[in-house]
Amino acid sequence: NLLIYIMKTQKEEVRYIKKSLKKPEAFLLFFMLIFLLTVYNNALNTSALEQEVDGAKYSTILSNRSNISKNGIIVTCKASLEARYSTNLKIVMTLQKNTSSGYTDVKTWTTTGNGTYLDAEESRAINILYTYRLKVTFTAGNESVTTYSYY
């Protein structure tokens, strides 16, 4: 009797699950939730954070800026460097992904020049299940500074 009761109960549970999966309300609710999460995520990421280092602390670097912004599955990384006088300039931008073991490098771009101003801009598709940051090392002459920007 116990075995028959267990088998009957299992059959009823299977029928209930099958009925539940056929309900259009469940699918509609699921897709609405995905849509709302996507809209919320995009709203959070439309305003990009900028970071600037005070040039008064450095003898060669006058100013530098870094910026990372996300639009859907694309991140755009920007950086600019201004020197007090004409010298060798270099910007190294590294896109980093936040993983369970910390940040890991995804892509590195290097831009070099000579003068008083240098800027760089790069874009890349990302996996939206992760968060990313932009690490930028600015070099003017023999002076370097590293900054981090987050979206």
Side-chain angles (χ1 to χ4, degrees), residues 51 53 64-66 134-138 145-149:
Q51 186 174 21
V53 175
N64 57 289
R65 296 189 135 207
S66 61
L134 177 63
K135 175 185 175 184
V136 183
T137 301
F138 300 93
V145 62
T146 299
T147 63
Y148 296 89
S149 298

Side-chain angles (χ1 to χ4, degrees), residues 8-23:
K8 183 178 177 182
T9 304
Q10 287 179 341
K11 285 181 182 180
E12 289 174 4
E13 288 177 4
V14 168
R15 273 191 231 125
Y16 177 76
I17 291 171
K18 285 181 180 179
K19 284 181 183 178
S20 296
L21 290 177
K22 291 181 181 179
K23 292 184 180 179

Side-chain angles (χ1 to χ4, degrees), residues 60-76:
T60 308
I61 295 175
L62 179 62
S63 69
N64 57 289
R65 296 189 135 207
S66 61
N67 170 284
I68 183 170
S69 60
K70 184 179 103 165
N71 186 4
I73 64 165
I74 303 294
V75 291
T76 301

Side-chain angles (χ1 to χ4, degrees), residues 7 10 15 19 56-57 60 71 77 87 107 111 120 122:
M7 289 174 51
Q10 287 179 341
R15 273 191 231 125
K19 284 181 183 178
K57 298 178 184 175
T60 308
N71 186 4
C77 306
T87 187
K107 179 70 176 171
T111 304
E122 298 288 345

Side-chain angles (χ1 to χ4, degrees), residues 32-73:
M32 285 177 54
L33 180 63
I34 296 297
F35 174 76
L36 290 175
L37 287 174
T38 303
V39 169
Y40 177 73
N41 186 34
N42 286 338
L44 285 178
N45 295 316
T46 53
S47 61
L49 300 175
E50 289 187 0
Q51 186 174 21
E52 183 176 4
V53 175
D54 184 10
K57 298 178 184 175
Y58 303 99
S59 60
T60 308
I61 295 175
L62 179 62
S63 69
N64 57 289
R65 296 189 135 207
S66 61
N67 170 284
I68 183 170
S69 60
K70 184 179 103 165
N71 186 4
I73 64 165

Side-chain angles (χ1 to χ4, degrees), residues 41 45 70 72 75 96-104 106 126-133 151:
N41 186 34
N45 295 316
K70 184 179 103 165
V75 291
Q96 296 180 321
K97 177 171 62 173
N98 191 4
T99 64
S100 59
S101 59
Y103 282 94
T104 58
V106 174
I126 58 165
N127 181 339
I128 61 172
L129 299 178
Y130 292 94
T131 57
Y132 295 80
R133 73 178 180 185
Y151 64 82

